[in-house]
Amino acid sequence: MLMLEMMTSVKNKICIQRINSAAAAMCIGMGSFSDPIDVPGLAHILEHMLFMGSAEFPDENEYDSYLSKHGGSSNAYTEHERTCYYFQVKDEFLKETLKRYSQFFISPLVKPKALEREILAVDSEFYKDLQNDAHRLAQLRCHTAASGC
């Protein structure tokens, strides 16, 4: 658990508000270097898809909605050799959040409509970064990696 203190000034008086927050993260040792040569972007697409529901919590927006209602947020990112998923929430909601979060890895749903939408999202991110030199270097590393990307 993490305790944050926020200081605010109200009519020349300082108020201290304590906010108890909990967080969790999980990194998986599979990233873009693990993509099959004929399916580039697969790790990134799967990163997006895991947030789209599970067998126990099938609604696509249930996780984000739950976090929003309980002072939390989440995100994920795909690197060359790993993909990381993380969240933070008010500490009293950690147990219920972990139930939802863990189901992404236990029984994720890959709904065809969501998959189509996320492929477009990942494609859009890719094309947006084509002129970015750091992205170009990453692609060069990816394509010259021993086992492909």
Side-chain angles (χ1 to χ4, degrees), residues 68-109:
S68 293
K69 289 177 188 171
H70 299 98
S73 63
S74 70
N75 210 338
Y77 57 90
T78 301
E79 294 180 336
H80 298 302
E81 296 179 352
R82 73 182 137 272
T83 303
C84 298
Y85 303 84
Y86 58 95
F87 73 87
Q88 69 85 29
V89 69
K90 290 181 183 175
D91 66 352
E92 62 263 32
F93 302 106
L94 177 62
K95 187 175 179 178
E96 284 299 315
T97 304
L98 282 170
K99 283 182 188 177
R100 288 160 172 78
Y101 178 79
S102 65
Q103 290 302 309
F104 293 153
F105 310 102
I106 295 168
S107 60
L109 296 181

Side-chain angles (χ1 to χ4, degrees), residues 5-81:
E5 290 185 357
M6 291 179 45
M7 295 178 62
T8 55
S9 178
V10 180
K11 294 184 182 177
N12 298 325
K13 293 184 180 181
I14 294 178
C15 298
I16 297 178
Q17 177 183 11
R18 292 183 186 261
I19 301 170
N20 293 330
S21 184
M26 183 159 71
C27 292
I28 299 166
M30 302 291 277
S32 60
F33 279 1
S34 299
D35 288 349
I37 291 173
D38 58 335
V39 190
L42 181 61
H44 193 178
I45 291 166
L46 290 175
E47 168 212 314
H48 282 232
M49 291 306 299
L50 287 190
F51 285 106
M52 297 293 168
S54 65
E56 190 171 337
F57 302 98
D59 294 338
E60 277 186 31
N61 297 315
E62 197 278 338
Y63 180 67
D64 286 336
S65 177
Y66 182 86
L67 286 174
S68 293
K69 289 177 188 171
H70 299 98
S73 63
S74 70
N75 210 338
Y77 57 90
T78 301
E79 294 180 336
H80 298 302
E81 296 179 352

